[in-house]
Amino acid sequence: MSSFPDLLPTAPGPRVLWRVDHNASAEVQLYVVSPSRPDLTHLVEQAGWPAAAAAGTAGWQTYGYAPFLERLDKGTVWNFRLTANPVHQARVKDGAPTKRTAHLTARHQMQWLLQRQETGGFRIAAKPRERQHTEHGDEHHLAVHAQRSLAFSKRGTPGTVTLTTVTFDGRLEVTDPDALRGVLTAGLGKAKAYGCGLMTLAPLG
């Protein structure tokens, strides 16, 4: 939030979404979707290469999102990535109040995402029938990886924040462009303040 001088961390308004991708041991990429252009100078100074940026190599890149969002059409197919916090409400014992609990198996995590297709304006693409292995839960173009259990303190709040995150990679078809635009700009699921909920699309190929 320090990248947005015009936004107060506690002020109501459009959500700032972010995600960190670890594509290789020496490569870390930060993606941000926000209502205004960020200034990431301080991040480059702390975790990047300021001298390279000063020499002309961009320390970060920003793009207007609206032109891309406006081009989303029903029926188009995209690769996607989403880091999320798949949870459900469960009771530890009869009569006890429900408690938000993380899904820990890949099959339940996939089901969590599949349950959000219709309202999210997308459909996870199915594999050709001859490549489906339904007993393993891989009948869709969908993979789950990078499960992480995080525990950290939150400034000004007693106790510890704990959450489980996973990354989904897959292929989707746009069924409702307006609903999908909402997912891409407002996020999907819980823990958006902690790097979850940002879905990105990429062309097939």
Side-chain angles (χ1 to χ4, degrees), residues 28-113:
V28 179
Q29 294 182 324
L30 169 67
Y31 293 90
V32 179
V33 169
S34 56
S36 59
R37 188 181 297 270
D39 182 348
L40 302 173
T41 303
H42 63 296
L43 288 185
V44 174
E45 291 174 344
Q46 293 174 29
W49 293 269
T57 301
W60 70 89
Q61 296 174 310
T62 59
Y63 304 92
Y65 210 13
F68 172 77
L69 295 174
E70 292 168 359
R71 292 199 305 270
L72 288 177
D73 289 325
K74 184 175 181 178
T76 55
V77 180
W78 302 82
N79 290 324
F80 75 90
R81 172 167 288 182
L82 166 70
T83 293
N85 170 228
V87 295
H88 66 294
Q89 296 290 334
R91 284 188 175 87
V92 177
K93 59 182 179 180
D94 291 342
T98 59
K99 182 180 179 181
R100 186 182 297 172
T101 306
H103 286 300
L104 298 178
T105 66
R107 189 175 185 89
H108 285 129
Q109 290 160 351
M110 288 183 181
Q111 192 62 33
W112 174 89
L113 182 58

